[in-house]
Amino acid sequence: MNNLLDEKIEQREETKETTRQTNNKQKVKLFISILIALLLLESIEWLYRTTGNLTIEQMIFHLKVPLQGTNSDMIWQYIVQVVPLAIIISFAIMIAINHFREKGKAKNAGKIILVISIIYVSTRANVIGYVLNQIQASNFIEENYVSIEEHNIVFAEQKNNLIYIYLESMESSYTSTENGGMYKEDYIKELRKLAQDNIHFSNTEKLGGAVQLSGTGWTIAGMVAQTSGLPLKISIEQNSYGKYDEFLPGVKTLGEILQQNGYQNYLTIGSDASFGGRSNYFMQHGNYKIWDVNTAIEQGKMKKEDEVWWGYDDKDLFGYAKEQLLEISQNEQPFNYTILTADTHFSDGYVCQKCDNKFDTQYANVISCSSKQVAEFVQWIQEQEFYQNTTIVISGDHLTMQVLSEDNIGKDYQRTIYNAIINPVSSLDISNINTKNRQFSTIDMFPTTLAAIGATIKDNRLALGTDLFSNRETLIEQYGYNTVNIQFERKSKFYEQNFIYNEQ
């Protein structure tokens, strides 16, 4: 009798232990579901809080290429601002769920929370809109693309060197309202003067610039647009950039055109050139000699522990650029020297030793500092012997992902990307060019740059870009911004077959 009783007690205890283990496993699964849901919610909000203009295209692109070279400060900022809060709230929700569970409620709470978060994130990032655009095929790119054949581009005997300065997140909107900007203060006084004193294409009568189209709104996309006349489109059907051995193999770019015409190409940046596929793109399209933070460390210009921000700041970037330009200008062949700044990157920019504390926000001070440094660099170039036959193109890579103040943005104000062209080739007739009230995008910088250094382009069109020195309408002037932007958002089989997969 006692043995039977003992067996029942033992079975009861085993059942309790099994139930307890099952409950613990369910609690762990529930906690993980809630944590994933909150991480999704917090991550998307953090992204939009810090980047503002982030698009689903950009997210997908960076999921397909290696993230090495990412600013460690941003990663740490994400960890600190997102992860602890998600964990704390998850515990709080768990306590509440357990309370309601004891009352027979809160069944499938974890799954419900996870589903809600997925729906919210999908809506916030416009995932459905993106997928629909991939379903709706467009022939727009195919119908408007002008092939880059050798006979379409003819260089004059006189052709200039090219110094192309990409300014991170630089907008014309940073100037004062008096000069066409959004603000009371003029944060880019020096850049504004460079634009006014030289060739500046504007969408208004005042300081303006290029509008941003789909597929051109982050750094590598902006650089692709300005060097190839095409948006950077992402295919979701195949791992088009995951292999990472070829970057847009079917595209012919500025670097390749210049290389074929005797130029040596260079790219100098302060971060890791591999980030976002930049080194692959420029090495595969023009065999650029690349100088980045890794090069600076390898050559003993700096130590690994001296890294700041994305690598080294713009103060050092311009210092290295001066050394390199003095060296390469001694060569007989013409050069294309490309430089990319980084101090004005979100979030808040990087304050270097040259920055003043003049304005209310750090970002405004960094933008102002960048304006001064670029102007000083341009002045230095103009003092060198090689300047006489050198054209300088200055352009923002894309609109900023962190606006200074939303309060200043009027409903009718169109934010635009800064540009200035200094010392175009003397054979170019600039007496009758229309620089004001032009509707254009950064894609048009591709043929415009070629024209500025001495190339004649058949019918003034190349890829999807229009030479702004001509009277030819841009795609936006021809079709309207909304039409072009919508067509760029949609799937293009022509683009994928000819440029991504090179199935010619």
Side-chain angles (χ1 to χ4, degrees):
M1 187 73 175
N2 288 334
N3 289 337
L4 184 61
L5 183 61
D6 289 341
E7 285 180 12
K8 286 184 177 181
I9 292 171
E10 189 175 336
Q11 288 174 357
R12 194 179 298 121
E13 290 300 321
E14 287 177 358
T15 302
K16 283 183 180 179
E17 179 60 22
T18 302
T19 302
R20 186 181 66 80
Q21 289 178 359
T22 302
N23 287 337
N24 286 339
K25 286 180 181 179
Q26 288 177 345
K27 286 179 181 179
V28 170
K29 287 180 180 178
L30 176 61
F31 179 78
I32 291 172
S33 295
I34 295 169
L35 183 59
I36 291 171
L38 287 172
L39 282 173
L40 280 171
L41 289 170
E42 282 295 315
S43 295
I44 196 71
E45 287 305 314
W46 180 83
L47 281 170
Y48 280 102
R49 218 167 37 239
T50 56
T51 67
N53 292 337
L54 189 72
T55 65
I56 186 66
E57 287 177 311
Q58 186 177 352
M59 292 183 205
I60 292 172
F61 175 80
H62 283 295
L63 287 172
K64 289 188 172 218
V65 298
L67 284 173
Q68 64 188 95
T70 306
N71 180 8
S72 58
D73 290 343
M74 288 183 61
I75 296 173
W76 180 246
Q77 186 185 70
Y78 168 79
I79 292 170
V80 169
Q81 293 183 6
V82 173
V83 178
L85 182 62
I87 292 172
I88 291 169
I89 296 175
S90 294
F91 275 118
I93 292 173
M94 277 290 295
I95 292 170
I97 288 174
N98 286 333
H99 172 73
F100 286 110
R101 262 185 170 175
E102 291 172 2
K103 298 183 177 182
K105 300 177 181 180
K107 188 178 180 182
N108 297 322
K111 291 179 182 178
I112 294 169
I113 292 172
L114 186 57
V115 169
I116 290 172
S117 71
I118 292 171
I119 292 172
Y120 176 80
V121 170
S122 298
T123 304
R124 187 82 161 91
N126 193 28
V127 174
I128 295 172
Y130 177 78
V131 172
L132 288 174
N133 280 325
Q134 298 307 300
I135 295 171
Q136 300 179 70
S138 167
N139 295 323
F140 184 83
I141 291 177
E142 180 178 9
E143 291 169 353
N144 289 279
Y145 179 76
V146 175
S147 179
I148 302 170
E149 304 293 342
E150 286 186 23
H151 67 270
N152 286 352
I153 307 166
V154 179
F155 275 89
E157 186 176 340
Q158 179 200 357
K159 53 190 177 186
N160 276 7
N161 301 313
L162 172 63
I163 297 177
Y164 204 114
I165 307 172
Y166 288 99
L167 301 183
E168 173 62 49
S169 306
M170 189 55 68
E171 298 187 10
S172 292
S173 63
Y174 294 145
T175 192
S176 62
T177 52
E178 178 186 357
N179 291 300
M182 291 192 333
Y183 302 98
K184 193 175 184 180
E185 302 276 2
D186 186 357
Y187 299 117
I188 53 169
K189 194 176 296 183
E190 297 80 11
L191 285 174
R192 185 252 306 157
K193 193 171 187 309
L194 278 176
Q196 291 174 338
D197 292 347
N198 294 280
I199 294 171
H200 168 68
F201 292 100
S202 175
N203 60 316
T204 69
E205 286 289 333
K206 298 181 179 180
L207 199 71
V211 295
Q212 182 168 287
L213 289 167
S214 174
T216 68
W218 64 99
T219 298
I220 184 59
M223 297 175 95
V224 166
Q226 296 182 49
T227 54
S228 73
L230 290 165
L232 179 53
K233 292 181 67 62
I234 315 300
S235 172
I236 59 174
E237 292 180 354
Q238 300 183 42
N239 195 17
S240 52
Y241 295 93
K243 292 180 182 177
Y244 207 55
D245 53 354
E246 290 185 289
F247 197 124
L248 296 176
V251 169
K252 190 167 185 180
T253 71
L254 175 70
E256 289 166 291
I257 294 167
L258 295 184
Q259 185 182 29
Q260 289 173 358
N261 283 275
Y263 284 74
Q264 175 64 61
N265 297 314
Y266 302 85
L267 173 67
T268 296
I269 58 181
S271 54
D272 186 333
S274 63
F275 178 73
R278 295 173 300 188
S279 58
N280 275 18
Y281 176 73
F282 283 98
M283 285 192 294
Q284 291 168 12
H285 296 280
N287 193 28
Y288 283 70
K289 292 184 178 179
I290 294 179
W291 174 287
D292 66 356
V293 62
N294 299 317
T295 317
I297 293 170
E298 288 166 8
Q299 295 192 9
K301 294 288 185 179
M302 63 180 289
K303 296 178 181 178
K304 178 71 176 176
E305 55 267 29
D306 294 333
E307 286 189 45
V308 297
W309 193 230
W310 289 83
Y312 54 79
D313 61 29
D314 292 348
K315 170 178 56 65
D316 291 335
L317 176 76
F318 290 122
Y320 295 143
K322 290 175 184 178
E323 293 177 10
Q324 292 160 27
L325 282 167
L326 287 175
E327 182 180 341
I328 65 179
S329 63
Q330 299 303 310
N331 300 331
E332 291 184 4
Q333 64 187 135
F335 62 82
N336 163 30
Y337 187 83
T338 300
I339 187 170
L340 169 67
T341 67
D343 284 4
T344 47
H345 202 287
F346 73 87
S347 56
D348 294 330
Y350 179 77
V351 179
C352 74
Q353 295 172 353
K354 286 196 167 187
C355 291
D356 298 323
N357 189 23
K358 183 179 178 182
F359 302 108
D360 293 339
T361 66
Q362 177 174 309
Y363 201 40
N365 286 313
V366 172
I367 289 165
S368 175
C369 184
S370 178
S371 176
K372 290 176 186 174
Q373 289 192 69
V374 173
E376 288 171 3
F377 181 57
V378 169
Q379 184 178 351
W380 177 86
I381 293 171
Q382 291 173 326
E383 293 168 354
Q384 308 310 308
E385 289 183 12
F386 62 80
Y387 172 68
Q388 186 176 355
N389 62 332
T390 298
T391 298
I392 305 170
V393 177
I394 308 174
S395 176
D397 56 352
H398 53 75
L399 294 175
T400 183
M401 296 180 184
Q402 178 187 347
V403 292
L404 284 171
S405 171
E406 302 241 354
D407 296 338
N408 294 71
I409 304 176
K411 288 182 180 179
D412 298 326
Y413 187 86
Q414 186 173 49
R415 291 164 54 204
T416 53
I417 299 163
Y418 176 89
N419 73 85
I421 298 176
I422 303 167
N423 197 36
V425 67
S426 58
S427 58
L428 182 66
D429 182 12
I430 59 173
S431 58
N432 295 316
I433 63 168
N434 178 23
T435 61
K436 303 296 183 185
N437 299 308
R438 298 297 306 270
Q439 297 300 313
F440 66 102
S441 73
T442 50
I443 280 171
D444 298 304
M445 293 301 292
F446 173 45
T448 303
T449 298
L450 283 166
I453 61 174
T456 301
I457 300 163
K458 183 180 178 182
D459 297 327
N460 303 305
R461 285 283 318 281
L462 211 55
L464 298 177
T466 300
D467 174 11
L468 296 173
F469 286 107
S470 73
N471 292 320
R472 182 79 184 262
E473 283 188 328
T474 66
L475 289 184
I476 295 176
E477 288 170 336
Q478 185 177 351
Y479 297 104
Y481 171 79
N482 289 334
T483 297
V484 177
N485 198 54
I486 289 169
Q487 296 301 324
F488 275 20
E489 288 175 345
R490 291 179 177 167
K491 181 183 180 68
S492 169
K493 291 181 180 179
F494 172 82
Y495 184 101
E496 292 180 2
Q497 291 169 357
N498 288 276
F499 306 134
I500 295 180
Y501 307 122
N502 199 21
E503 299 174 355
Q504 297 179 0

